[in-house]
Amino acid sequence: MTEAPTTIEHEDNGSKGRYFLRAPGGAIAETTYTNVGQHQIIIDHTEVPDAFRGQGAGLRLVTRAVEDARAAGKKIIPLCPFANAQFKKHPEWADVLKR
């Protein structure tokens, strides 16, 4: 197992965006989202390739999305099954969960 990359990168093109990690071998773990207006995002997909398994990469990516949403005053709709499961495990994220 390789060491987990530490820097989460972020891309936002206006309507869609992603948080991602790059492994030294080129594999990419990512959480993608769609902007819904100025105050909401939909997390629609999280993918963690085998190069990242067991390193908490998916949780780190969703956590970063939560932190950024909180800082921007946005709410999150977690349509992605992984993100939805993490929201259920982290009640401290309730302030950014769109109900």
Side-chain angles (χ1 to χ4, degrees):
M1 179 168 61
T2 60
E3 187 174 315
T6 57
T7 303
I8 295 174
E9 298 180 60
H10 181 219
E11 294 176 346
D12 187 322
N13 71 12
S15 63
K16 293 191 174 284
R18 70 180 182 148
Y19 292 93
F20 62 101
L21 292 163
R22 295 179 198 266
I28 295 178
E30 69 178 357
T31 293
T32 62
Y33 64 89
T34 302
N35 287 304
V36 181
Q38 294 180 344
H39 304 290
Q40 295 182 102
I41 67 168
I42 297 171
I43 295 179
D44 41 41
H45 184 68
T46 299
E47 184 169 342
V48 179
D50 288 341
F52 291 93
R53 298 282 180 210
Q55 299 176 35
L59 176 58
R60 288 181 54 214
L61 292 167
V62 174
T63 299
R64 171 69 186 277
V66 168
E67 291 168 351
D68 285 359
R70 186 177 284 133
K74 294 183 178 184
K75 298 288 186 181
I76 295 175
I77 301 166
L79 291 184
C80 162
F82 177 80
N84 191 31
Q86 293 307 311
F87 268 87
K88 290 177 182 173
K89 292 179 182 178
H90 294 276
E92 69 274 19
W93 296 351
D95 63 311
V96 298
L97 179 62
K98 175 68 176 176
R99 300 197 183 269

